[in-house]
Amino acid sequence: MAKVHAYESSAIRVVYDPTRCIHAAECVRGLPSVFDPQSRPWIQPDSGNAHEIAAVISKCPTGALQYERLDGGAAEATPERNTVTIAPDGPLFLRGQIEVRDSDENLLAEGSRLALCRCGASKIKPLCDNSHREAGFVAPSSIPDPKIRQTEADDGRLLVVVAPQGPLILQGPMTVIDDAGKDRCEGTKTALCRCGASANKPFCDGTHSKIGFEG
């Protein structure tokens, strides 16, 4: 597993986990004076304002970038609602109060920004590692025939359970949307495909069993 790196100025500490980075480049576009892949080190907090750096980091969709304010500034706020955005030909982008656990309840990941694999090819499942590009994964971001149930939610957390050789079971308040913010549906329980073969993406239709999905 790649080492987590930290870079800091007197005002902010930036933490970078390369394992979770899929090069969405929100940081580079947002603040190129601080985030410059051609420089070494590529993150230079002294080259920017702590407030602006924090704002850009909060746009990182995978959570590969995190920050800690050293100047008394506010920590990143957890979004008021949990959302699951379907990226076309790409992963599931989750925002909110997120916990990812295996079927034995072991914690696999948590945070307010995560990218989960839905192509079935990631080497770091359940997280996305950009393998969908090499695999030529094709899947729209539209949401056909939403299969999402309304149940009583215990709290504001969105729990994601990784079913062995099966789908992602989401439990908790959530809004599922496409990448344009359209075709949204809300509920508290659903199963999302992570084998890449469902005919009803992003929802699971049981195809994982037919193809012998492992992961």
Side-chain angles (χ1 to χ4, degrees):
M1 182 173 290
K3 181 181 178 181
V4 174
H5 304 278
Y7 312 84
E8 65 181 65
S9 66
S10 59
I12 191 169
R13 183 173 187 260
V14 178
V15 177
Y16 172 60
D17 182 352
T19 302
R20 292 172 62 170
C21 182
I22 60 173
H23 307 293
E26 291 287 352
C27 57
V28 177
R29 287 191 295 270
L31 210 54
S33 61
V34 174
F35 302 95
D36 181 3
Q38 304 306 315
S39 298
R40 292 294 180 271
W42 79 279
I43 300 176
Q44 301 186 32
D46 280 317
S47 297
N49 174 276
H51 180 72
E52 293 177 343
I53 293 172
V56 166
I57 288 176
S58 68
K59 296 180 181 180
C60 172
T62 67
L65 288 171
Q66 303 285 338
Y67 71 86
E68 177 186 357
R69 294 291 292 265
L70 305 177
D71 59 358
E76 182 176 353
T78 301
E80 293 183 357
R81 62 174 185 160
N82 302 317
T83 59
V84 181
T85 299
I86 313 301
D89 308 329
L92 303 166
F93 289 122
L94 277 62
R95 281 182 175 267
Q97 186 180 344
I98 315 297
E99 281 188 17
V100 182
R101 295 182 179 272
D102 63 19
S103 58
D104 293 322
E105 300 187 358
N106 296 306
L107 182 65
L108 303 178
E110 65 180 337
S112 60
R113 296 175 278 116
L114 291 171
L116 302 184
C117 172
R118 71 177 183 125
C119 73
S122 173
K123 299 176 181 62
I124 58 169
K125 299 182 189 72
L127 301 178
C128 171
D129 68 354
N130 255 352
S131 289
H132 53 272
R133 295 181 178 178
E134 184 178 343
F137 179 62
V138 177
S141 63
S142 58
I143 303 174
D145 184 24
K147 296 184 181 300
I148 186 166
R149 292 172 16 194
Q150 296 283 357
T151 61
E152 185 174 345
D154 293 333
D155 53 32
R157 176 189 59 166
L158 178 58
L159 173 63
V160 181
V161 178
V162 182
Q165 283 49 264
L168 298 168
I169 309 298
L170 277 62
Q171 304 173 60
M174 75 191 94
T175 301
V176 183
I177 62 178
D178 65 15
D179 69 318
K182 298 179 180 179
D183 298 327
R184 62 179 57 191
C185 55
E186 297 182 339
T188 56
K189 189 168 185 179
T190 194
L192 300 182
C193 173
R194 70 183 185 97
C195 73
S198 171
N200 195 42
K201 299 181 188 71
F203 302 100
C204 172
D205 68 356
T207 300
H208 56 272
S209 296
K210 298 177 184 177
I211 66 173
F213 173 65
E214 296 183 1

